[in-house]
Amino acid sequence: VDVALFVTCLTDTFAPRVGVAVVRLLRHYGCTIHFPPDQTCCGQPAYNNGFHEEAAEMGRRLIDVFDGFEYVVTPSGSCASMVIHHLPDLLAGDRAYGERARQLAARTWEFSMFLTDVLRVDVSSIAADPARAVTFHYSCHNRGLQSTEQASALVRGLKEVDYRPLDHLDQCCGFGGAFSALYPNISNAMVCDKVNAIARTGASVVVSNEAGCTMTMQGTARRHGLNVAFKHVAEVLAEALGLMGDWP
Amino acid sequence: VSRRKHWFDANVKKALADDALRAAIADTTVKKMASRAAAIAQVDQFQALRDLAARIKQHTIDHLDGYLDEFVRRFEAAGGRVHFAATAADANECIVRIARDNGLTLCAKAKSMTTEETHLNEALEAAGVRAVETDLGEFVVQLDHDRPSHIVTPIIHKNRATVARAFVRELGAEYTEDPEALTQIARRYLRDVFRRCDMGVTGVNFAIAETGTLCVCTNEGNGRLTMTRPRVHVALMGIEKVIPRMADLAVFTKLLSRSGTGQPITVYASLIQGPRRADDPDGPEQLHVVILDGGRRAIQAGPYSQVLRCIRCGACLNACPVYRQIGGHAYGSVYPGPIGKLLSPLLNDLEYFADLPQASSLCGLCLEVCPVNINIPDVLVHLRRDQVKNATVPWSRRAAFRGALAALSSPWLYRIAQKAARWFSALPAKGEWITRLPGPMGRLTEYRDLPRPAAKPFRELWPLEKASRDSAASQVPMHVPHPDPASGAAEQRELPPLDPAVIRRVATDADLVSIFCARAEAIGFRVTRSSPDALGSDIAALVGRKKVIIEPSLSCRPDVERALAGQAEWLDPQAGDAAMFATDVGITGVRAAVAETGTIVWSSGPDLWRGLSLIPPMHIAIVRREQIVPDLLDLFSDLPKTELSANTTLITGPSKTGDIEGILITGVHGPGEVHVIVL
């Protein structure tokens, strides 16, 4: 299976280990990975903030960069939903790119959906570390993609996992892109509720598949002295399979 | 120039500092979301049902004039009077004129967001008409000179202590924090208002074009009293409340209260077909409907007409993580929460409400819980686009986005930016984290630490990864499509058919009596399975030595009278209000019953008093098993086949409220004890 990795700008810049884990895991399951070097951003920040012409321009660029790959996989639900849901709408009237946007949308997958729905990976034989309790936060874009079940199943379904469900799982972590910079006080109230819920689980690892959520929750947990590790599900799985040996 | 609104920031700051407020809101919204989830789980085809509801509403909005015309024609044919109001001020003026023309002085008001929107109470008071809010929550709001902070649960921002203080201060009541006792204080005070009022104002949940019927859904019974007691009933509705068919109510009643409060249907759903008839013993002599535009026409004609699908269930408020933090008052508008973020700017102006579309993390939970699939996050994003187009976005934000776009459009500029961010972040950082940024960037670290960009971004690690060998294993991919996203605002040319496979919850060949009895018990009715021979003694056992009125036309009346001879005291309803308000027990028949929800259906007619199932604290309803229909779909499909009574009321449980801290109290304004005897 030929897969182009769309690593996304946040993961590229702030969480490169997630990109490495995705590559190794997909390879483990028989994929051939490509990384088009000209990739940058999908245009989501521009789109969400109403700069739609700019977002369309970014979208056209993205379509050119990922032209011709059988699958495009991204570790971010929000970037996936930008490509899958918004780009085709945004470029619907574009004669050169409208149809190509729809094609790219059909070929693009959020990582956990790709693993469960396309590759049909069964994680029940992969052993988690039973000594480290795990909780899971799904990103709001997992909900938009209808992939909350897939994403959490990859954690809940591990062998011997000590899984601690999070209270009020459906509540946003408070990131929301520019929202957290424009209304930092509302955002903070939201993320404090989330971090308190994490603390109540007693888990030492939080699985979060969206770099934005992770930065927000981890930055707040640090500020309040809560010592928990934050990991992408790709890191959890790659570690359990012994694929991250050279990278603690 | 920053277009941020000072008023919004001030409201937010105030709310965030009020821990009691946030605790009260979190407590109630979490409860409501849990009840909603349980109620939705009862509907097998929930997604298909809400999709159908969305399509019916969108179709109606896309063809509004035709349906409004049909509604008006039929409403007038039933003896009602129609008034159109272009603005809120016109609507108020019209209602004040109705009061003046008829010499009305005391107005009982049922809960209505549209009257909040027009500020009707102030207009009535200015014209010398005393307007009294009779919904428990709205009553407290009025006593406190406050505003509701939720469209379904108006005093979600108050607790029992604030209610207690208001009752002591304004009503001279004794201080109590017992929600039950507080409810009884309100009941006693408002009984007097209901006895004396000459005008009743309600909102409208649905206006049915096919029959010219108003449907008003309530829980406490104050709405029914408001439509029963006064001489004149005035209903205020937005133009978007019209639905095509009576049978559409099966779809909407199944969704409305499940979404809002987690009930299978509201306690009362009243179908109003004109004013009281010549031979009806009670009910209003005049029925008016005021149909308000108030900015809705502009929404209908614009790109966001899906917003008008809203049925005001309140689910999006209960779900919203932002509402949970800042409460309803912060939105500075009658309509708070996610739907308010759309309605307030669209009904008024985007300039004043500039913050509302912005103050959202676009989490989309509102869309997930919306019973009519309004794509709230999508409309929010498009309102932001309008703000960019109208230049109501500050130049600094524009410059930032244009600059970022330039950097992100070129791989080498992107890499330089990445590197520069890594270098410059070394200055304020401790290790890999930044705890404080200088200057205007400081807001980013006001509440949380920021990570530094990694020493090596992924793209620098890739060459090494690329060199390692691909695995020999091969997983065969499944070619699956993505799940369909929730439907947006697609135009609906045809009125969607009512597919029973989607709507029906009880099959026509089911054991209707057993299902009816079980569900009636579940919603708080007390059910007795009886027989014609045992009926008299069964009722006697329930009534004891109380004061009783029985519907004169009930065929079992002689048996009941015989069985109660010598113990109960019989009052004569012809004696008027004195008898009706003195009675302990009202015994009535029903027109039909619904197995699906355990609902009994009462309708008005000669010698059938509306007050009898409403005013006495105990109601006994006699249901014959052949009157039970399987599903709400059957009821609403059958009703228009015969002539409708002036008032048909679906009753599903005793009168109830959850206004004080979400605690369920029964027996507010209607009967707290309802016995259903199944023959």
Side-chain angles (χ1 to χ4, degrees), chain A residues 127-203:
Chain A
D129 178 358
R132 301 196 74 187
V134 182
T135 190
F136 168 75
H137 160 79
Y138 66 71
S139 87
C140 298
H141 287 91
N142 279 140
R143 179 168 48 238
L145 294 164
Q146 299 169 42
S147 67
T148 54
E149 276 309 304
Q150 289 94 320
S152 79
L154 290 177
V155 183
R156 282 187 287 118
L158 292 170
K159 196 162 84 186
E160 290 170 13
V161 70
D162 179 2
Y163 178 70
R164 311 273 180 90
L166 204 52
D167 279 348
H168 314 309
L169 189 57
D170 58 5
Q171 291 285 297
C172 170
C173 71
F175 174 56
F179 166 76
S180 63
L182 289 173
Y183 304 93
N185 50 358
I186 305 176
S187 167
N188 180 55
M190 289 158 72
V191 67
C192 282
D193 279 359
K194 187 60 76 183
V195 168
N196 284 331
I198 290 170
R200 283 198 301 275
T201 65

Side-chain angles (χ1 to χ4, degrees), chain B residues 340-368:
Chain B
K341 281 180 178 169
L342 310 183
L343 281 173
S344 307
L346 289 171
L347 287 174
N348 301 284
D349 79 303
L350 189 52
E351 169 65 31
Y352 179 77
F353 289 106
D355 278 289
L356 297 191
Q358 298 285 341
S360 164
S361 67
L362 302 178
C363 84
L365 195 55
C366 45
L367 166 60
E368 182 167 286

Side-chain angles (χ1 to χ4, degrees), chain B residues 33 38 89 103 130-131 170 358 403 420-421 423 432 439 467 474 577 595 631-632:
Chain B
M33 283 291 280
R130 185 173 165 230
E170 302 290 330
Q358 298 285 341
W423 291 329
E432 289 301 301
S474 189
D577 279 3
D631 197 279
L632 288 169

